[in-house]
Every structure is written in C-alpha cells, then in structure tokens.
Amino acid sequence: MASFIPKAKAGGRPRAVVMREVIHGILYITRSGYAWRMLPHDLPKWQTLYTYFRAWPALGLWARMNDGLRADWPIEPGRNPQPSSGSIDSQSLKTTEKGGSAATMGTNG
C-alpha cells in the first residue's frame, strides 16, 4: 500500500506523522462510525487524519488502492478478475420500501 500514498511535497516540511497510522486512523473511523474527535490518543490527531481523508478522493487514491487490492486478490482459474455483478441484501430493500430510517427506528412521521 505504501506505493499508493502520495510523496511529501518537495521543499516542504518533512511529514510529522507515519502514513501507516494515518491509514489506520481513517479505517478506524470509517469502520467504527465514531466521530473524528473520538479517535484514540495513540493515533495521529483527528485534524490530520481528516485533512488526508478529505484530500485523497480528489487524487483518486481510494479508487487506486481498491483497484490494487482487487488486482492482488487470488482469482480462481477461469474466472474474470473484474466483477460482473453485485448484490444487495433483502433487508436493505425492505427498509427502503417502508421509508428508510423511519421504518428501522420505529418512529412515526
């Protein structure tokens, strides 16, 4: 994954954070759903992580990481490496038919 991380800007200050920890922090937030300010103290500051999180989509970083990981995934012989379909679980469909979060939260509008 290190090859996907943009290099520090030439002539600027050296990075003060370990980029692996930046990735760990961003994944922690996206996986847990916690607020940025609730990050554990052993990760970089939330402002630093949020800055990278907001900047990287414009660079296409997340898409390139995903493509790189998918390309490295072992593929069974005779299978196309590019996915041809996706799936949605039936519970997601049912809640949207009933009104989304109102149906799942038990609130009446």
Side-chain angles (χ1 to χ4, degrees):
M1 286 283 101
S3 62
F4 293 106
I5 304 295
K7 303 288 184 209
K9 293 180 181 175
R13 289 186 298 178
R15 283 192 172 138
V17 295
V18 177
M19 296 310 289
R20 178 182 291 269
E21 293 300 313
V22 171
I23 297 287
H24 286 177
I26 291 172
L27 293 176
Y28 181 86
I29 288 293
T30 56
R31 175 79 184 215
S32 67
Y34 289 150
W36 287 98
R37 294 175 190 236
M38 294 179 68
L39 275 169
H41 296 291
D42 59 337
L43 291 169
K45 293 180 180 179
W46 74 266
Q47 297 94 328
T48 303
L49 298 181
Y50 186 72
T51 299
Y52 283 109
F53 178 76
R54 296 285 298 176
W56 285 348
L59 301 173
L61 181 74
W62 297 116
R64 284 185 293 151
M65 278 189 187
N66 189 44
D67 292 343
L69 287 169
R70 189 176 58 238
D72 288 345
W73 195 263
I75 299 171
E76 295 177 28
R79 302 264 328 241
N80 185 349
Q82 294 296 322
S84 59
S85 65
S87 64
I88 300 173
D89 72 9
S90 61
Q91 293 301 314
S92 297
L93 295 174
K94 289 178 186 175
T95 58
T96 57
E97 290 172 2
K98 294 179 183 177
S101 63
T104 59
M105 300 300 284
T107 59
N108 294 326

